[in-house]
Amino acid sequence: MKVLVPVKRVVDYNVKVRVRSDNSGVDLNGVKMAINPFDEIAVEEAVRLRENQLASEVIVVSCGSAASQETLRTALAMGADRAILVESDAELQPLAVARLLKAVADREQPGLVICGKQAIDDDANQTGQMLAALMGVGQATFASRLVVEGSAIQVTREVDGGLETLALKLPAVVTADLRLNEPRYATLPNIMKAKKKPLEALPAASLGVDIAPRLRHGRHEEPAPRKGGVKVADVAELVGKLKNEAKVI
Amino acid sequence: MKTLVIAEHDNTRLAGATRHAVTAAALLGGEVELLVAGDNCGAVVDEAARVAGVSRVIRVEAPFYRDLLAENLAALVLSLVQLKLYGNVLAGSSAWGKNLAPRIAALLDVAQVSDVVKISGRGCYQRPIYAGNVLVGVESDEAVQVLTVRTTAFDSAGDVAVDGAPAPVEVAEAGPDLGLSTLLRREISRSERPELGAAKIVVSGGRGLGNGDNYQRVLTPLADRLGAALGASRAAVDAGYVPNDYQVGQTGKIVAPGLYVAVGISGAIQHLAGMKDSGVIVAINKDPDAPIFQVADYGLVADLFEAVPALTATL
C-alpha cells in the first residue's frame, strides 16, 4: 500500500509574524520557513507504517513554489521514499490544493492519505476533509492513534469532550493531531541520503484542474493587544481586586 | 437567501456551539433553518424548534445518522442545498463542525471560510490566522457560503418565550448511507462541571503543577469553589496530567470566559491564542518573567502550591 502525505511550507512556528504597514498581508521577508508541524507528524506516521511493513512506499507531495522543494527534502530526510512538487507561484487556497492532491492521488492510487490537520499559517483546517470529499472516501480528522488492519483502519480522534474511535475502509484520508506521534529528527546521513531521493516537479497547470482563488483576502490587522495588567502582592489583594474592581466573583 | 445551520447534538441535547451558530446565521440576512439529522432525536428536534431566531427545523432520521459522522451528513446537506436552495450553510467551529464543513464545501464545489469571528454581511467576514496573531478580512462570492463560526465571537441564541410558538418542523428524506466509516466507541469525559467552551469561569493548569496528582489536588478545590470548568495548557496535556479535551489553545479549545485563572502556565503563543479574549485573566506563576503576565489583568508572582490553596480558602 502506498501512503501519500501532503506537506506545506509555512512560517516556522517560533516566528511571531508581523502585518505589513499597508495592511495588505503578513510580512514574510527574511522570515524562517519550515515544514508545517502537523505535516511533520503525518510524515512520521507514514514512515512508521512502512518501517512496520504496513506500507510499501511513502510519497510526499507539496503544492507551491520551487522553495517547497526544501520542505520535501525535509520529509525525505525523515524517511519518505520519493517526492512530488506540484509547482505553482500563484496563491493556492485549500480547495485548489485539494483538487491538485486529488489529481496526484488519481495517478498514484495511494491506499491511505495522511495530512496534517491544519497548516499553522492560514489555520484553515480544510484540505484533508476536502480531499476526502473529492476522492469519495472516508475521513478521520484530528487523529491521535492509527491502526492499519488489512484493508481497513481504526483511528482514534481527538474530539470535544474526549476521544472517539472510527473504523474506515481504505482508501481513506486521515489528518494528524499533535499527539499522534513525536516526529524524529532527521540525522545528517539521512539528510545527505535525501538529496539523492527522487523529486519530481510537475507544473500545476499540467494537472488540468481549476486552481483559481475563490476567496479574496483584504485588510490584515493585529488584534488589539490586551492592556498590561497589574501585579498583586498577595492572595488577599488578588481576591480584593476580583471582588471589588473586576467584580467577577 | 435562506441559511441552513447544521445542529450538533448527541440525539438527546443540542450542543452549545449550535446556538452560537444560529446567532451568526441571523447576521447573513434571510431565514435561518436548523437541520437536525440523527436517530431517535425527537428531544433535540423539540429543543431546536424553541431556539429563538430559527424559522424552521428540518428533521431527518436514519440509523446511519446516529453518530453524526461527516460522510453521510455531508451527502445529506448537499442534497438539501440542491433541493431547497440554501444560500448559506453554517456550523459552529467545534471539532465536529471543523470536520464536517470542508467536506460539505468540497461537495458543493465552493470555498469554505473557517473560524469566522465577524460577519459584516453575506460574503464579508473576518477570521483569525497565524494562531490568532493576525485578523484578516475575507470576501467570498461563492454561490453557497459555507462557514464555521467561532462560538466565542457570537452570543448564544436563547429560547423563544415560554408562551411563544416553536418553529415548524419539516421531516425530510434521508440521504444515502455511503458506508465509508463506522463509530466503534466514544470515550467522553462525564463531569458535573460546566463545559469548558461555555463556562463563565475557567481554572487552567500548566506544567508548573508538576504532575497529574498535583493538578487534581491543587486545582479541583479552587474550581469547585468557583463553579469553574477545568482547562490545561498543551504542555500539561502532553505530559499526561489531564486528558486531551482539557487543552486550551490554538489547536485545542478556544475559550472566552468572564474569568480565566491560569495556574503554573507560562503563556506560550499557542495557549494565549485560546484564551486571550477572556474577560479577566488572572495568572499565578512563580516566574515573574513568564509571558502570561503580559496578558494577565492580575498577576501574582508566587509559589502556586501555597497561593492556590490560600486563594481557595479565602473565597
Side-chain angles (χ1 to χ4, degrees):
Chain A
M1 171 176 81
K2 289 186 193 174
V3 181
L4 186 67
V5 183
V7 295
K8 184 177 183 184
R9 181 174 184 263
V10 298
V11 171
D12 185 270
Y13 76 98
N14 281 314
V15 171
K16 171 117 173 61
V17 297
R18 298 268 171 227
V19 171
R20 279 191 222 120
S21 55
D22 64 357
N23 296 96
S24 63
V26 169
D27 190 359
L28 297 180
N29 268 337
V31 167
K32 186 182 175 206
M33 304 296 280
I35 183 171
N36 178 44
F38 292 101
D39 301 347
E40 198 174 17
I41 294 169
V43 172
E44 175 67 34
E45 195 68 14
V47 170
R48 288 185 192 185
L49 290 177
R50 200 208 49 230
E51 288 170 346
N52 294 324
Q53 274 94 47
L54 292 163
S56 55
E57 188 182 26
V58 176
I59 306 153
V60 286
V61 53
S62 191
C63 304
S65 71
S68 295
Q69 286 189 33
E70 189 188 352
T71 313
L72 290 166
R73 291 290 174 203
T74 303
L76 291 170
M78 289 175 68
D81 298 293
R82 65 184 165 94
I84 301 170
L85 172 65
V86 178
E87 199 167 347
S88 169
D89 289 325
E91 181 197 355
L92 297 174
Q93 294 181 352
L95 184 60
V97 174
R99 285 186 168 151
L100 292 170
L101 294 174
K102 163 72 165 57
V104 171
D106 284 345
R107 199 182 76 159
E108 297 289 344
Q109 297 290 315
L112 179 63
V113 181
I114 312 180
C115 307
K117 77 163 179 178
Q118 73 191 65
I120 61 164
D121 49 6
D122 65 11
D123 283 333
N125 192 334
Q126 298 176 0
T127 304
Q129 295 90 313
M130 287 182 158
L131 176 61
L134 298 179
M135 290 173 69
V137 302
Q139 67 186 52
T141 50
F142 325 146
S144 62
R145 187 159 183 268
L146 166 66
V147 179
V148 177
E149 286 175 338
S151 61
I153 50 173
Q154 286 191 13
V155 182
T156 301
R157 308 178 54 228
E158 299 201 352
V159 296
D160 295 337
L163 299 169
E164 71 175 30
T165 303
L166 301 179
L168 286 91
K169 285 184 199 161
L170 293 176
V173 175
V174 171
T175 77
D177 213 321
L178 286 173
R179 283 170 282 272
L180 183 59
N181 60 52
E182 276 192 37
R184 69 193 68 190
Y185 289 101
T187 60
L188 188 60
N190 285 339
I191 292 170
M192 300 310 288
K193 247 189 267 174
K195 291 184 178 169
K196 295 193 179 111
K197 288 185 179 175
L199 191 160
E200 176 189 7
L202 292 174
S206 72
L207 294 173
V209 298
D210 173 17
I211 55 169
R214 303 288 192 88
L215 304 174
R216 294 182 302 279
H217 293 111
R219 185 182 167 79
H220 290 63
E221 57 189 274
E222 288 174 20
R226 282 188 80 95
K227 268 185 270 161
V230 295
K231 293 253 172 78
V232 292
D234 52 31
V235 166
E237 189 187 349
L238 174 61
V239 173
K241 293 270 192 197
L242 291 176
K243 281 192 173 149
N244 305 322
E245 192 175 274
K247 297 186 169 63
V248 286
I249 57 170
Chain B
M1 203 162 303
K2 288 191 298 182
T3 298
L4 183 66
V5 175
I6 307 162
E8 178 176 1
H9 64 87
D10 58 1
N11 295 301
T12 309
R13 289 204 57 192
L14 201 58
T18 301
R19 289 178 179 270
H20 295 270
V22 167
T23 300
L27 299 172
L28 296 166
E31 300 207 318
V32 177
E33 303 192 352
L34 191 50
L35 169 64
V36 178
D39 186 28
N40 290 317
C41 56
V44 181
V45 171
D46 293 344
E47 191 183 347
R50 298 202 66 83
V51 174
V54 171
S55 62
R56 184 182 301 270
V57 173
I58 311 293
R59 175 179 192 163
V60 184
E61 290 197 82
F64 52 84
Y65 294 133
R66 185 190 61 206
D67 303 315
L68 269 64
L69 300 185
E71 295 85 352
N72 286 340
L73 215 44
L76 170 67
V77 173
L78 172 67
S79 64
L80 286 174
V81 169
Q82 288 167 342
L83 189 73
K84 294 172 173 289
L85 307 175
Y86 292 105
N88 315 298
V89 176
L90 264 74
S93 60
S94 57
W96 177 84
K98 289 176 184 176
N99 180 48
L100 176 65
R103 188 166 183 113
I104 293 171
L107 294 180
L108 288 165
D109 192 23
V110 297
Q112 190 235 309
V113 185
S114 298
D115 247 344
V116 169
V117 293
K118 189 171 155 195
I119 297 177
S120 309
R122 185 175 183 276
C124 195
Y125 315 108
Q126 192 179 50
R127 62 176 299 263
I129 55 176
Y130 289 97
N133 287 307
V134 179
L135 292 169
V136 62
V138 181
E139 288 179 30
S140 167
D141 301 327
E142 296 286 26
V144 183
Q145 304 272 317
V146 182
L147 315 177
T148 60
V149 296
R150 186 167 281 193
T151 52
T152 54
F154 301 93
D155 291 337
S156 173
D159 285 340
V160 292
V162 180
D163 56 352
V169 177
E170 177 185 324
V171 176
E173 261 183 61
D177 178 9
L178 302 171
L180 294 170
S181 62
T182 327
L183 178 75
L184 298 178
R185 59 186 172 275
R186 280 203 175 120
E187 298 141 71
I188 302 297
S189 328
R190 296 276 167 217
S191 166
E192 297 300 309
R193 294 185 189 289
E195 186 194 332
L196 180 54
K200 294 190 169 59
I201 302 180
V202 172
V203 172
S204 224
R207 273 296 274 274
L209 284 149
N211 60 51
D213 288 344
N214 286 346
Y215 179 99
Q216 296 299 342
R217 186 171 53 80
V218 174
L219 295 192
T220 306
L222 177 61
D224 286 345
R225 188 61 63 91
L226 289 169
L230 279 168
S233 68
R234 178 187 158 189
V237 174
D238 283 352
Y241 301 178
V242 287
N244 64 283
D245 52 296
Y246 280 53
Q247 186 177 323
V248 172
Q250 180 189 8
T251 65
K253 290 201 177 64
I254 311 285
V255 302
L259 172 62
Y260 187 89
V261 185
V263 178
I265 292 178
S266 64
I269 288 178
Q270 65 264 28
H271 186 75
L272 301 183
M275 46 64 84
K276 65 186 163 68
D277 293 328
S278 302
V280 172
I281 297 174
V282 170
I284 301 173
N285 200 304
K286 69 180 176 195
D287 174 8
D289 298 323
I292 190 78
F293 288 122
Q294 290 165 20
V295 301
D297 298 281
Y298 303 113
L300 176 59
V301 179
D303 180 352
L304 69 90
F305 294 102
E306 288 166 16
V308 176
L311 176 59
T312 308
T314 315
L315 289 168

